[in-house]
Amino acid sequence: MANQKAFYFDASSCIGCKACQNACKDKYDLPLGVRWRRVFEYGGGNWLFIDGVESPNNVFKYFVSTACQHCANPVCRDVCPAAAITKRADGIVLIDPEKCIGCRYCQWACPYGAPQFNEETKVMTKCTFCADLQDQGLKPACVDACVMRCLDIGDYDELRNRYGSVADIEPLPTGNITHPSLVITPHKHAEPSGQGTGSILSLPEEV
Amino acid sequence: MNARDWALITFTILVQMSVGSIWVLGVAHFFAARKYGNEEADRLSDRALLALVPVIVLAFIASLLHLGNPFNAYRAVTNLGSSWLSREIFFGVIFAVLAFVFAFLQWRKFGPFVLRNVIAWLAALDGLVLVFSMSHIYMLPAEPAWNTWATPVSFFATTFLLGALAMGVAFVANYAYLQRKQADCAEAQCTLMREAMRWIAVAAVLLVGMELVVLPMYLVTVAGGSAAGLASVKLMAGTYGWVLALRVLLAFIGAGVFAMFLYRNAMSEGHEKMLGSLTYAAFIVVLVAEVLGRVLFYASHVRIGI
């Protein structure tokens, strides 16, 4: 899609510090349980017993920082009965809290878990791509907070030309459903979506 | 299970029961009128029709309870172009309005017969579109436990199963009421009631048979489809295994065993009391079974992704 803003994430250098997650929570003063950006720890592999001693064999883990993917095919927008979700000309997908009826249907439809219910305002909320900052030419809070410089934004096509077309590594879902505006540099142990041998290691309360 | 899930369970079950009821009433009235004329047919079905009004009202009140911001509820029909939820509410409101208008006109015998008939047909047909829309709400690519043909099949099975047994209850209650009012009136009504109950029993046996055939096919399809699907089936058969077992058992008892007895007792005169008790029992047992089925539906879906 022409003129689509997108996230870039370098999974090969993310250390899982969650500075992005906290910067987002801080900027938007998100209540308990609402996390527009989340950092997943994914790992797997087996240990070998050699002479009665456990030795690491192919044990691996890596981190995936993820938010709303501002998809080319935003299923949340399509299913919303109140027409409260729109996609701007620059590709940013936004929920209008004035129009939302809080039915949480978008929560079922989105495989990225991006739309989340705010118990205080009683409507759905999600990553706004810091549209307010981007409109001033600035970068989103999560990107600026990343100490490893592994999070960035850019034009979707340009990011793909520079970094390739990977968008679906575990634990993210396959991109076939929503066509996420996401470009990933995979970790060397990254497993393709749907074919993972590992599991999410993060505590459920963390993500 | 939380309050929101119970709101959805109440709404979907009651709406489906109402749609099924309209169809059962229509069929019963048609055959009753052919045999004994419109007046006797009306006496069979008018009170049952009125009983649907509070059920539909209750369903829509329940639907509001799952919203975070019910004051915006009017906006729920603003995305008819792509949202099945919008379509459900749209056809749901039309169904409610048509059903209320029909019930009122029929009760007061306002307007020509043809007009009332047309409104009833529109309500019944709209009801089918409504249940169809309702099932498609859940057919999301990210929800493998819902995104199968079993969702519309089971929604329609619930529709006609509960519709048939709810109207069975209405018929036996109506008959008891008529008999109390004037003991001799009941000759034609007794025959009509018994015949309706026989067909209701047959429908119940067939529908529960279909449900019990669909269930294992559904479980196998979902379990083999994806990791999330397998996780759903593990929830259904493991954590909620007792709900599934109870649901199957009660459906079999209510719509299988009780319906068989219902059929036999409806064959000849003189068992009206027994017929009444059996009908109430069958309805309550099947209602619990269908509610448990819906509990399972909402409790066991596992979305793909994160």
Side-chain angles (χ1 to χ4, degrees):
Chain A
M1 179 192 263
N3 202 15
Q4 164 74 56
K5 287 183 188 292
F7 273 119
Y8 165 71
F9 173 62
D10 180 1
S12 69
S13 63
C14 176
I15 58 169
C17 73
K18 298 189 175 148
C20 50
Q21 185 174 322
N22 289 331
C24 175
K25 250 188 117 78
D26 183 40
K27 177 178 191 301
Y28 293 98
D29 204 11
L30 299 177
L32 195 67
V34 178
R35 301 171 202 91
W36 290 354
R37 179 163 282 285
R38 298 180 290 168
V39 180
F40 284 87
E41 184 178 348
Y42 185 84
N46 290 300
W47 294 68
L48 280 182
F49 274 93
I50 300 170
D51 296 334
V53 179
E54 267 185 323
S55 313
N57 180 22
N58 55 350
V59 177
F60 71 94
K61 81 164 182 183
Y62 59 89
F63 298 97
V64 174
S65 173
T66 174
C68 172
Q69 316 299 357
H70 301 276
C71 305
N73 175 28
V75 288
C76 57
R77 176 199 60 184
D78 294 344
V79 303
C80 175
I85 306 179
T86 47
K87 191 172 173 67
R88 304 203 314 189
D90 59 3
I92 297 181
V93 177
L94 293 174
I95 300 177
D96 184 344
E98 299 293 314
K99 292 181 178 171
C100 177
I101 63 176
C103 71
R104 311 198 204 192
Y105 190 24
C106 49
Q107 202 174 4
W108 287 342
C110 172
Y112 296 93
Q116 295 173 15
F117 190 73
N118 185 330
E119 290 288 351
E120 289 171 9
T121 58
K122 300 290 179 193
V123 290
M124 298 304 295
T125 61
K126 70 167 194 64
C127 159
T128 63
F129 224 147
C130 285
D132 55 335
L133 296 179
Q134 291 214 50
D135 289 345
Q136 302 168 43
L138 300 170
K139 289 192 171 179
C142 55
V143 172
D144 274 350
C146 179
V147 292
M148 296 304 286
R149 296 283 180 268
C150 56
L151 209 51
D152 203 355
I153 57 161
D155 178 74
Y156 182 54
D157 290 333
E158 279 174 27
L159 287 174
R160 275 170 73 101
N161 287 338
R162 202 178 326 156
Y163 298 110
S165 58
V166 175
D168 28 19
I169 61 172
E170 288 283 2
L172 298 179
T174 165
N176 294 338
I177 298 175
T178 65
H179 301 289
S181 305
L182 174 67
V183 175
I184 293 174
T185 296
H187 186 268
K188 62 179 174 180
H189 292 306
E191 300 188 316
S193 299
Q195 299 167 42
T197 59
S199 59
I200 293 170
L201 304 176
S202 318
L203 294 171
E205 307 87 62
E206 283 182 292
V207 290
Chain B
M1 283 291 105
N2 52 39
R4 279 177 357 93
D5 286 331
W6 282 108
L8 290 177
I9 292 164
T10 308
F11 172 71
T12 56
I13 291 275
L14 291 184
V15 164
Q16 287 164 18
M17 189 169 88
S18 307
V19 171
S21 297
I22 288 264
W23 276 93
V24 171
L25 273 185
V27 172
H29 189 278
F30 176 77
F31 285 106
R34 271 211 332 198
K35 205 162 181 179
Y36 288 103
N38 268 329
E39 209 166 303
E40 285 295 339
D42 284 353
R43 289 175 74 194
L44 176 74
S45 63
D46 275 4
R47 284 184 194 83
L49 181 63
L50 281 178
L52 281 184
V53 174
V55 174
I56 297 172
V57 171
L58 195 64
F60 276 86
I61 291 173
S63 79
L64 291 176
L65 295 180
H66 91 105
L67 298 183
N69 185 3
F71 297 106
N72 269 354
Y74 70 94
R75 291 198 53 87
V77 288
T78 51
N79 199 7
L80 291 170
S82 69
S83 173
W84 281 106
L85 183 46
S86 268
R87 293 168 193 160
E88 177 211 50
I89 301 303
F90 179 74
F91 291 115
V93 169
I94 291 180
F95 176 75
V97 169
L98 288 173
F100 294 166
V101 169
F102 174 58
F104 180 78
L105 295 181
Q106 182 67 15
W107 175 41
R108 292 285 170 169
K109 298 288 176 290
F110 271 167
F113 177 76
V114 180
L115 175 74
R116 279 182 267 142
N117 216 4
V118 167
I119 296 174
W121 266 107
L122 288 177
L125 293 174
D126 176 87
L128 295 186
V129 183
L130 167 58
V131 175
F132 182 81
S133 303
M134 211 174 219
S135 62
H136 273 70
I137 287 175
Y138 300 94
M139 295 175 77
L140 300 163
E143 295 280 3
W146 288 346
N147 192 21
T148 77
W149 48 268
T151 301
V153 168
S154 64
F155 275 23
F156 275 108
T158 303
T159 298
F160 293 113
L161 190 53
L162 286 182
L165 289 171
M167 289 303 96
V169 165
F171 291 154
V172 295
N174 181 56
Y175 177 73
Y177 171 81
L178 288 178
Q179 244 193 349
R180 256 202 322 275
K181 238 173 74 174
Q182 43 185 133
D184 60 330
C185 83
E187 189 69 43
Q189 283 300 317
C190 184
T191 316
L192 280 179
M193 190 270 287
R194 282 194 298 108
E195 250 176 54
M197 293 319 298
R198 255 170 52 205
W199 285 108
I200 283 170
V202 170
V205 170
L206 289 178
L207 285 163
V208 83
M210 190 178 83
E211 281 189 344
L212 296 182
V213 169
V214 162
L215 181 66
M217 289 163 67
Y218 162 77
L219 291 175
V220 169
T221 312
V222 172
S226 63
L230 184 62
S232 290
V233 172
K234 279 182 178 163
L235 274 177
M236 277 182 250
T239 315
Y240 297 104
W242 63 275
V243 180
L244 181 66
L246 198 58
R247 184 248 187 290
V248 169
L249 184 70
L250 291 181
F252 179 75
I253 292 174
V257 179
F258 284 5
M260 296 278 202
F261 283 116
L262 208 58
Y263 186 87
R264 285 188 48 175
N265 280 287
M267 291 291 274
S268 54
E269 267 179 69
H271 310 290
E272 286 74 23
K273 265 236 162 72
M274 183 66 178
L275 204 54
S277 311
L278 270 173
T279 309
Y280 281 109
F283 172 67
I284 288 167
V285 169
V286 171
L287 181 64
V288 173
E290 292 302 310
V291 168
L292 289 178
R294 202 53 54 83
V295 166
L296 212 54
F297 182 81
Y298 287 111
S300 64
H301 71 108
V302 177
R303 202 191 54 215
I304 72 159
I306 48 176

